[in-house]
Amino acid sequence: MNNKIVTVVKLGIILGCALLNISTMGEQKLNERELLFKGGYLNNPQDDAHRRFFIAAAGFEHYSKLSNDFGDFLTQNVQLRFTWDFREEPKDAWAIEIHNAWAEFKLGLGKALRIGHFQPYFGLEVTEDTHGALFQTLMMQNVGFKHDWGLGYKTFIGPFDIRLGTQLGYGMSLPKYKENFLVTTRISTPEGRNTNFALSGLYGRVFSMAHGHSEPSTGHGHGNTNMMAMPMPKESKPMLVFDEHVHRTFPYKEPGDIVRKWRVGYDFSHFGGYLAIKNEAALGEDDGILVGAFMLQAEYPFSFLDDLVATYQVKVVSQDLSDKGMSYIPVTVGLSYKVLQYLNFQSAYEVTLLPFASEEVENHKLIIQLYYFGT
Amino acid sequence: MKTNSILIGLMALCIFSNALFGATGCTLNDPDRDVLRMFPKSTGYKTDFIRLKEHGGEVTVKEIEEKLKGPVDPTYESIDVPYAYYTILKGKEPIGRIHGLNQKGTFGGMQLIVATDLNGKILHFYYQKISSPAARKFKQKDFTKQFVGLTLEDFYINKLKPGSEKDKIGKITSPTTDHADDFKNTLRGLMKNLIQLDIIHLNRHYDTVYKKLKGE
């Protein structure tokens, strides 16, 4: 019975997405195709079978605006991706990921109400589009997922942009309620400016995610784990923040236990001249355990070759600030090159340092990605 | 297996259906705030995504290249790039427009945004993004405000009668001597922006001046 329901739902979603492309005459819309090939090598001491990986994905984004005589009043966005993980048996290899699926109603200039599946209003992820990027923000470490169902409101008061969100705290693409919730807020200097500073807070009872096999922390969709050789929390309970099926809608994966969490944090981004700096940090608790995370990223474009950008990122993550052994530090360097208007090549090499680990563990990852986003 | 085949087929329909597709163009990062800043009396705005392929395609590109006296960039300026045009409203009445484009610069793309009145006269100009060691100098208001009040006619004069008494743009100097190429890139981007506005929204109003300056 459940299988039939799931099949009907997934057929409905995909048909709806297909019809969306052909039923929106008269509105202003952008439709983009997406193709992604991502592969790499991990020296994974915990899972020898998954040292090499290759993932292919195809998807699309639909973005549209509806307007009347008084201007725009509704914005819609759907991002959907079909992925194939070549490490897996065919029956387990495929997944459908819904990233964005929201509608935003304009309530006046600067005021809007959003409903649907969108990112929680916490940290740098709110203003950074990491949908096709290898380098990610701390959203996975802080919240455990990048999108959730719910309601969001944004406005601005004087020089400050304010966002308030109330979501399910569930993370998966099908909504489910089990006394879970997530409330987020972000107050910032005007978003979209070259320099942006924000304070964020979140509180909720949030589903943790089940374990998957290891994969890079860099990346998106169908693979956001970073658990290889990572310190495990006390009492061997599942890690709270890494899961490879975070965005996976079908086949359905049941998430783990509910975790009560809160966070406060700041984020800062600055694009000055030709150097971009991104920084965020958060502090809080997961079920009473004090946790924290910090990220600093710099991007530098080279003048001798157009559209070649070097990126350096360091994260410091502690899953228990009272225990030094629960900290790890992923350091990543990468190059990206815009081959054509719609085609981007990205690479990243990551070394995860475990300065307080009881035993020495090598932990390297090399990832390359070819990403097409356009017509 | 059968279900999976259907899913893959439907997914292909999503991706390859014959709908209107295009790459992301230059849109305002913070449109509500930007609109209120440049048009404090506005009550709303209407967004249009417009591609050159819907306005003459390659023929229009050739026309733009002729007016610019140079080629368009295939990376940043292909005919299917959607340009966002914001028509600013006070109630139901249009009071101006905001539009931007990506211009290739020395260190990558620049995003040039102009607000114009309904006749195409520049009311505001700013860089939404500029990758350059001299970015701060380019973004200074002392430099950008020199473009306020100019129209496409001034760019045509600068291109076809440079150094003449009426050449207002010729009197504007680069804010830096070290990265003067980005000054030329800025002029080119602004001119292209105004040519496209003229084609798309002003019914080629400035063609009369252009032909007169060319001696046609």
Side-chain angles (χ1 to χ4, degrees), chain A residues 232-275:
Chain A
M232 291 292 287
K234 289 172 181 170
E235 300 165 7
S236 298
K237 80 180 175 183
M239 293 182 71
L240 307 180
V241 292
F242 303 115
D243 179 75
E244 71 162 354
H245 299 296
V246 164
H247 299 300
R248 187 169 181 154
T249 308
F250 309 110
Y252 181 74
K253 297 282 181 183
E254 187 68 43
D257 298 330
I258 287 178
V259 177
R260 183 178 55 78
K261 65 168 58 192
W262 64 264
R263 294 282 192 284
V264 291
Y266 78 87
D267 62 85
F268 169 76
S269 59
H270 176 65
F271 182 78
Y274 53 105
L275 184 67

Side-chain angles (χ1 to χ4, degrees), chain B residues 5 16 32 42 77-78 110 119 121 131 140 147 152 200 215:
Chain B
S5 301
F16 301 110
D32 287 17
S42 68
E77 301 169 335
S78 68
M110 298 191 289
N119 296 316
K121 185 169 80 176
S131 296
Q140 281 177 350
F147 294 90
L152 181 55
I200 292 164

Side-chain angles (χ1 to χ4, degrees), chain A residues 32-33 72 110 161 306 342, chain B residues 15 22-23 32-33 47 80 104:
Chain A
E32 323 252 7
R33 295 182 182 96
D72 299 339
D161 284 5
D306 287 352
Y342 311 121
Chain B
I15 298 166
D32 287 17
R33 203 184 276 275
T47 312
D80 51 9
K104 188 174 167 57

Side-chain angles (χ1 to χ4, degrees), chain A residues 35-38 54-58 81-86 93 222:
Chain A
L35 287 172
L36 181 150
F37 301 98
K38 181 169 69 175
F54 180 68
I55 293 168
R81 184 182 287 168
F82 178 87
T83 66
W84 194 278
D85 187 338
F86 285 86
H222 207 100

Side-chain angles (χ1 to χ4, degrees), chain B residues 10-23:
Chain B
L10 288 171
M11 195 66 202
L13 176 64
C14 285
I15 298 166
F16 301 110
S17 64
N18 201 22
L20 194 60
F21 282 84

